[in-house]
Amino acid sequence: MKVVDHIKSAKNTLFSFEILPPHAGESIQTLFTNIAPLMEFKPKFIDVTYHREEFILKKRNGGLLEQKSIRKRPGTVAICAALMHKFGVDTVPHIICGGFTREETEYALIDLNYLGIENVLALRGDSIKGQNDFCPTPGGHAYASDLVQQIKTMNDGRYIDDDLENAIATDFCIGIAGYPEKHFEAANMTSDFKWLKHKVDCGADYIVTQMFFDNRKYFEFIERCKAEGINAPVIPGLKPLTSKKQVQILASRFHIDIPEELADAVDKCKDDKEVRRVGIEWAIAQSKELVAKKAPCLHYYSMGKSNAIQEIAQALF
Ligand code: FAD
């Protein structure tokens, strides 16, 4: 079922979460075991992130260094299919522009369609690790809006090769990313909203936000969406803090603010066990307010760890 249909038919705020595919070579069983306790809270969908290639230097005989392209967490599409099969839950593979030509994206979408996956989250993706700017792959897309357009065109039954006969129309529900605290490359909120609206106008069905720790940012974001004529549902993304070092890591990696009150509370903690408690309580308070204000769905970022989400879900769902 499509994410937007889950939202339309829901009486209450829904529960969903995002997972990372296992590292290459790891068993899928560990992932199943980790998320099995969350299934009790009936997530309506699970997102699976996509991790683009990285370049590493490998020492060869004679001390020469060889540059190699590796993918640390492959398997997004297969994980989605496996989760659907194992738990009977809808899945949302993340599809990124970086690293793909338009043809490769089309082949990936064809695979998803055959697998019965009805949802995708269309993203530009970040720059390759070690590079400052995002460089589009030759023959690929520069912005998520271009990717949305490609998916929408397939939903209209048109593929890259317009000579295809009997090409079937796909029917993907398309999610996109939104940034209550602005995308870090955008010059200002006005331009970021302009491009967000453009993504929706290109055919996106719903928005999932970057994580935030201050609900006012989300409420202001949805007000501005309304003012800009963006009427797609906006799903808030939440992440419980679980260690002291995350305060800096999350702020710098995701370009978000950690409210002073939360940072001070974390600072006073003796160890990460205490931080985890503070982080979970903060996330529960955020979640309760979002439910009271009728957020369509609460979407939790697991970043590879699901037990904190379990405690939050227990308090909410
Ligand atoms: P875009 O919407 O293309 O925007 C990128 C920037 O360009 C913005 O500053 C925007 O204002 C500007 N812009 C947009 N369109 C135009 C235009 N036509 N002309 C000029 N400027 C424009 N990354 C991954 O690699 N894998 C994942 O699985 C993943 N999952 C994510 C899930 C969520 C919910 C979120 C919020 C982010 C996720 N990301 C993921 C990170 C994301 O790829 C990065 O934040 C990336 O830098 C931007 O992606 P986007 O889709 O928002 O890009």
Side-chain angles (χ1 to χ4, degrees):
M1 189 166 159
K2 293 178 177 180
V3 167
V4 281
D5 291 335
H6 280 299
I7 292 173
K8 270 185 217 144
S9 59
K11 291 198 180 70
N12 300 311
T13 301
L14 303 174
F15 167 58
S16 67
F17 58 92
E18 175 189 291
I19 58 155
L20 279 55
H23 282 108
E26 280 176 11
S27 146
I28 194 170
Q29 196 49 51
T30 314
L31 175 69
F32 285 161
T33 310
N34 272 340
I35 65 172
L38 295 179
M39 300 317 290
E40 166 191 344
F41 305 102
K42 304 210 172 358
K44 286 290 177 275
F45 56 94
I46 301 176
D47 274 51
V48 183
T49 55
Y50 193 92
H51 298 257
R52 72 175 298 182
E53 77 277 20
E54 290 178 27
F55 290 101
I56 54 155
L57 291 174
K58 279 233 163 189
K59 216 172 198 164
R60 291 281 163 239
N61 290 344
L64 284 177
L65 291 175
E66 183 192 1
Q67 193 184 50
K68 272 187 80 100
S69 162
I70 58 155
R71 294 214 9 243
K72 288 189 178 161
R73 292 180 184 271
T76 300
V77 173
I79 297 283
C80 284
L83 291 175
M84 281 169 71
H85 180 68
K86 170 100 179 151
F87 297 112
V89 65
D90 285 308
T91 51
V92 186
H94 292 189
I95 305 282
I96 61 171
C97 304
F100 293 96
T101 63
R102 292 174 70 242
E103 284 75 12
E104 287 164 341
T105 297
E106 185 171 286
Y107 302 145
L109 292 165
I110 288 172
D111 282 347
L112 295 176
N113 197 38
Y114 286 151
L115 287 165
I117 292 172
E118 294 175 272
N119 302 285
V120 289
L121 193 74
L123 301 146
R124 187 195 69 181
D126 281 320
S127 57
I128 292 182
K129 218 174 184 175
Q131 293 182 357
N132 285 336
D133 301 316
F134 174 82
C135 283
T137 297
H141 298 301
Y143 295 106
S145 53
D146 305 327
L147 178 55
V148 172
Q149 264 166 352
Q150 179 175 7
I151 304 167
K152 195 74 181 103
T153 306
M154 283 179 72
N155 280 353
D156 292 337
R158 284 178 289 130
Y159 289 60
I160 294 171
D161 176 359
D162 49 19
D163 289 336
L164 287 183
E165 282 176 21
N166 305 321
I168 51 144
T170 55
D171 190 18
F172 291 110
C173 169
I174 309 169
I176 49 166
Y179 302 84
E181 299 181 60
K182 189 176 86 57
H183 183 260
F184 70 104
E185 291 167 27
N188 48 54
M189 271 298 196
T190 302
S191 91
D192 215 18
F193 271 101
K194 171 179 155 182
W195 295 119
L196 180 67
K197 177 157 177 17
H198 179 58
K199 281 196 281 194
V200 175
D201 291 345
C202 285
D205 297 295
Y206 70 99
I207 300 166
V208 184
T209 76
Q210 181 58 279
M211 65 181 76
F212 56 87
F213 290 87
D214 177 351
N215 283 353
R216 275 176 309 176
K217 305 263 167 78
Y218 171 76
F219 299 135
E220 283 164 16
F221 184 75
I222 50 174
E223 280 313 310
R224 179 95 186 242
C225 280
K226 278 186 210 149
E228 303 283 347
I230 300 170
N231 297 314
V234 183
I235 298 177
L238 300 167
K239 156 95 186 93
L241 275 179
T242 50
S243 71
K244 227 170 218 190
K245 63 177 193 281
Q246 279 181 351
V247 172
Q248 267 79 42
I249 292 175
L250 297 181
S252 73
R253 190 183 297 167
F254 298 107
H255 308 271
I256 51 164
D257 266 1
I258 307 293
E260 273 173 40
E261 195 190 333
L262 176 59
D264 286 349
V266 168
D267 223 26
K268 289 191 189 115
C269 293
K270 297 198 293 293
D271 52 29
D272 281 346
K273 201 169 156 212
E274 281 188 13
V275 175
R276 190 174 175 282
R277 186 69 4 242
V278 166
I280 289 173
E281 275 163 20
W282 187 275
I284 290 175
Q286 266 193 290
S287 304
K288 284 189 171 163
E289 188 183 20
L290 290 163
V291 169
K293 295 266 168 79
K294 304 210 175 323
C297 177
L298 303 186
H299 186 69
Y300 295 92
Y301 295 109
S302 77
M303 291 174 73
K305 297 201 176 74
S306 54
N307 53 9
I309 298 176
Q310 190 185 344
E311 283 190 44
I312 299 163
Q314 226 138 24
L316 265 298
F317 298 100

